[in-house]
């Protein structure tokens, strides 16, 4: 919500007027010096939208504000040309509306376009969110990182490395939406105070690592050549892409990292395939490159990759994981009911590479059970388990 500064106002005053943590107001206006705001400036107020209202008999600024649990000055701020003492029936007012609902639906076929629409809506409502394009897919789609929070502890989560595991993206976006609702309303999730988490943790999120692949699974053949012809050939002429895990070039992005990649290369498929082709060399694909460059540029305390399916959590790599990893995975298991598995004969994954390079905890979390792509009928069950893990990632 945008408001216009009046003489004598301050960002702190706005935080009190709208009952929002002051830090969120400051972080929603990073280009403004809080001690030097001037009348006429435009300020972003997080957690609110503006709605139009037609005055009815008996309405006053005070009664309209009271219905919204706000001070009447909030209405004066949005209606500077209106005399509160002279409201007339039929007069149009702008009213602040505190957002108490999820923007993200999630329980739908959640492609790249749906995700971007939700990200844009979340940024409009919660302008303290930070986004950055960390790279592009083979077909040129932006790979977006979202950052929220301002703490020294940096943690990372990603989803949809694999195309037919796209349900992990709306799960992530739903939890982000719940986080934003809680933090702007001075609330908690499972008795964890979210404003405190915001001040202590910087959470990095890449909600869709493989946008070309996700759209292939959900939308079918792309119109653009040469990709249309190439994926048809790779898929043996079939237009059923439900089994497709790879990126649009038939490379498995979670087999792309230089952590014993040679083992995967020797035993996996040798040509582009819907799944299990590690590529011609490590980090050959722009999506994997973007994830590697992001990780190198940050100081992540731990990383978490959401996949499906199996209801297990892989947490080790070649005995290089630190002792704290076991403590963390046990908490993940406690809140989700998932089974921790330390070692498995698999290499070249994102979490493998992270553990190898930084000797810090990394986790591959396999949500749900069944055959990929998991049906949306499992969404609520998956979300309950995943939200516990995502929350634990923030408070531990």
């Amino acid at each position: 919500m945008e408001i216009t500064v009046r003489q004598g106002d301050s960002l702190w005053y706005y935080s009190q007027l709208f009952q929002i943590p002051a830090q969120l107001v400051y972080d929603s206006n990073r280009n403004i010096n809080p001690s030097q705001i001037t009348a006429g400036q435009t300020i972003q107020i997080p957690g609110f939208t503006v709605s139009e209202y037609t005055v009815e008999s008996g309405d006053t600024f005070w009664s309209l504000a009271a219905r919204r649990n706000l001070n009447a000055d909030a209405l004066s701020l949005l209606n500077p040309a209106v005399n509160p003492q002279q409201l007339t029936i039929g007069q149009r007012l702008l009213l602040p509306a505190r957002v108490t609902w999820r923007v993200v639906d999630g329980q739908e076929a959640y492609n790249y376009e749906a995700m971007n629409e939700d990200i844009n809506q979340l940024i409009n409502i919660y302008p303290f969110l930070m986004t950055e394009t960390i790279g592009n897919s083979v077909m040129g789609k932006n790979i977006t990182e979202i950052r929220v929070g301002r703490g020294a502890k940096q943690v990372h989560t990603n989803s949809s490395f694999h195309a037919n595991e796209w349900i992990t993206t709306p799960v992530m976006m739903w939890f982000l939406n719940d986080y934003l609702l809680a933090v702007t309303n001075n609330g908690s999730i499972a008795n964890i105070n979210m404003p405190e988490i915001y001040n202590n943790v910087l959470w990095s999120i890449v909600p869709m690592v493989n946008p070309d692949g996700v759209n292939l699974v959900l939308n079918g053949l792309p119109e653009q050549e040469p990709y249309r012809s190439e994926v048809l050939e790779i898929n043996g002429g079939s237009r059923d892409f439900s089994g497709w895990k790879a990126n649009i070039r038939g490379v498995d992005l979670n087999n792309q990292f230089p952590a014993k990649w040679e083992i995967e290369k020797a035993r996996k498929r040798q040509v582009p395939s819907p799944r299990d082709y590690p590529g011609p060399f490590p980090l050959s694909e722009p999506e994997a490159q973007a994830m590697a460059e992001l990780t190198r540029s940050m100081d992540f305390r731990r990383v978490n990759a959401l996949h499906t399916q199996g209801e297990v959590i892989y947490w080790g790599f070649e005995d290089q994981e630190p002792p704290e990893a076991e403590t963390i995975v046990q908490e993940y298991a406690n809140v989700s009911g998932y089974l921790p598995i330390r070692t498995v004969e698999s290499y070249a994954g994102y979490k493998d590479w992270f553990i190898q390079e930084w000797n810090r905890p990394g986790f591959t979390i396999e949500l749900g059970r069944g055959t990929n792509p998991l049906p949306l009928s499992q969404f609520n069950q998956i979300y309950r388990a995943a939200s516990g893990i995502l929350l634990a990632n923030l408070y531990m």
Side-chain angles (χ1 to χ4, degrees), residues 75-333:
L75 273 64
S76 296
L77 186 62
L78 288 176
N79 300 276
V82 175
N83 184 339
Q85 307 296 334
Q86 297 181 353
L87 296 185
T88 59
I89 295 173
Q91 190 174 10
R92 303 290 289 175
L93 298 178
L94 296 178
L95 299 183
R98 183 182 295 276
V99 177
T100 58
W101 59 91
R102 287 190 183 108
V103 168
V104 178
D105 179 344
Q107 300 188 58
E108 58 181 341
Y110 203 78
N111 61 16
Y112 174 72
E113 290 74 21
M115 179 193 69
N116 281 338
E117 183 177 343
D118 283 345
I119 290 174
N120 290 334
Q121 288 194 69
L122 290 175
I123 291 170
N124 286 335
I125 300 170
Y126 307 103
F128 53 85
L129 280 177
M130 298 171 284
T131 61
E132 183 177 348
T133 298
I134 62 168
N136 298 98
S137 69
V138 172
M139 295 182 69
K141 296 180 182 67
N142 290 345
I143 300 173
T144 300
E145 181 207 18
I146 303 168
R147 295 182 190 178
V148 59
R150 61 191 324 272
K153 184 175 78 171
Q154 300 178 8
V155 297
H156 171 75
T157 315
N158 60 64
S159 49
S160 289
F161 253 97
H162 289 144
N164 64 353
E165 299 175 10
W166 59 264
I167 199 171
T168 56
T169 296
V171 166
M172 176 99 77
M173 294 293 293
W174 241 39
F175 182 79
L176 172 63
N177 201 157
D178 285 353
Y179 173 115
L180 296 171
L181 281 167
V183 76
T184 49
N185 292 293
N186 283 293
S188 61
I189 300 176
N191 296 318
I192 304 297
N193 181 272
M194 298 316 289
E196 184 176 341
I197 293 292
Y198 181 88
N199 287 319
N200 291 334
V201 179
L202 174 64
W203 185 26
S204 161
I205 307 155
V206 176
M208 191 175 288
V209 177
N210 185 5
D212 296 343
V214 168
N215 272 18
L216 178 65
V217 171
L218 290 175
N219 300 349
L221 279 172
E223 293 297 324
Q224 186 179 350
E225 292 287 4
Y227 309 108
R228 183 180 179 89
S229 299
E230 289 174 351
V231 295
L232 259 179
E233 182 179 353
I234 292 170
N235 208 40
S238 172
R239 292 172 180 253
D240 177 4
F241 295 99
S242 59
W244 192 281
K245 293 175 64 176
N247 74 349
I248 203 71
R249 289 202 293 224
V251 177
D252 188 325
L253 296 177
N254 205 41
N255 270 176
Q256 267 273 285
F257 291 86
K260 295 202 167 183
W261 176 87
E262 296 78 9
I263 295 176
E264 295 296 281
K265 175 63 175 175
R267 67 184 183 177
K268 291 289 183 70
R269 299 185 182 185
Q270 301 301 305
V271 296
S273 301
R275 54 178 297 156
D276 301 332
Y277 172 54
F281 51 86
L283 303 180
S284 65
E285 303 307 294
E287 300 91 344
Q289 293 167 18
M291 291 302 301
E293 289 166 10
L294 169 67
T295 309
R296 292 182 182 124
S297 71
M298 299 292 286
D299 185 29
F300 295 138
R301 184 82 60 88
R302 72 181 70 98
V303 301
N304 307 268
L306 300 187
H307 288 252
T308 58
Q309 48 72 32
E311 297 187 355
V312 296
I313 307 168
Y314 299 110
W315 61 279
F317 181 70
E318 299 289 284
D319 296 325
Q320 297 177 48
E321 65 281 353
E324 67 182 290
E326 185 168 10
T327 301
I328 295 167
V329 80
Q330 288 300 331
E331 181 63 11
Y332 285 4

